[in-house]
Amino acid sequence: MKLIRFGETGKEKPGILIDEKRFDVSSIVTDYNEAFFEENGLEKLKKALENNPVLPEVDSNVRLGSPVARPSKIICIGLNYVDHCLETNAPIPAEPIIFFKSTTSLCGPNDNLIIPKNSEKTDWEIELAFVVGKKASYVEEADALDYVAGYALLNDYSERAFQIERGGQWAKGKGSDTFAPLGPFLATQDEIADVNNIPMWLTVNGKKFQNSNTSNLVFKIPFLVHYLSQFMTLLPGDIISTGTPPGVGLGIKPEPIYIKAGDVIELGMDGLGSSKQHAVAYTK
């Protein structure tokens, strides 16, 4: 299944995507939130759809929100592609680097990117994200995929000056509003033939900067579920973003390139769709 949420910001309804058409399933499901995943909502929805219910079709012009309602946490993995480590002059991690994005950074896949107040170094990062399907604590790596609800496209926007030059943790540069556009949809595991072989790309104003494949991940998804669950309980609906490949603005030679108002950022992954964000300046 391909899960979507649609409608005005803060008023999204749950839906599904079938053959590129959008359908409203709010008569079956309240929302794609922690309770939905915790209560085996994916299986219940699948069974309900087998009865071929009459579902209202949703106009393609209606805004898409994040395919998952605001989760308990958004966990990100840093420096998880070898080439990205090299372009940023960082050592290849012996263990996953973990940081958090604020849940208020989550937004729809095509919502505007709001460049933060006083920002001069807002950057892009295409990433594969996965969503936790059930409560996970001290999970064995062999069982890890049993805890994954599905996969989605995410742009891990970063303000590099806030992140690197202001001291403290990376979270300073990761949590601004609109810094985590997710989607266009959440694809359940059966929709993806091989999660370890997904081509991915990102362009800015039509120029391709990132062009890679999830085969280049240092730490794969089963290990990440296992690893993270040793340090914290993962709750249903939690979003884990697995890191970005090379080609970020920070790593461009001879001079980094950063996002400015008016720029258009587009990104996509095979089987997970594409998204587009227009960059706009912060206004009070």
Side-chain angles (χ1 to χ4, degrees), residues 133-152:
K134 60 182 180 179
K135 188 175 180 180
S137 182
Y138 300 109
V139 173
E140 295 294 332
E141 187 173 351
D143 302 324
L145 290 181
D146 293 340
Y147 293 82
V148 174
Y151 307 106

Side-chain angles (χ1 to χ4, degrees), residues 112-116 119-120 122 204-205 258-265 277-283:
N112 286 343
L113 164 68
I114 301 173
I115 299 174
S119 167
E120 295 182 352
T122 293
V204 181
N205 300 328
Y258 296 114
I259 296 168
K260 61 185 183 302
D263 287 347
V264 179
I265 301 92
Q277 296 93 46
H278 291 79
V280 299
Y282 169 85
T283 57

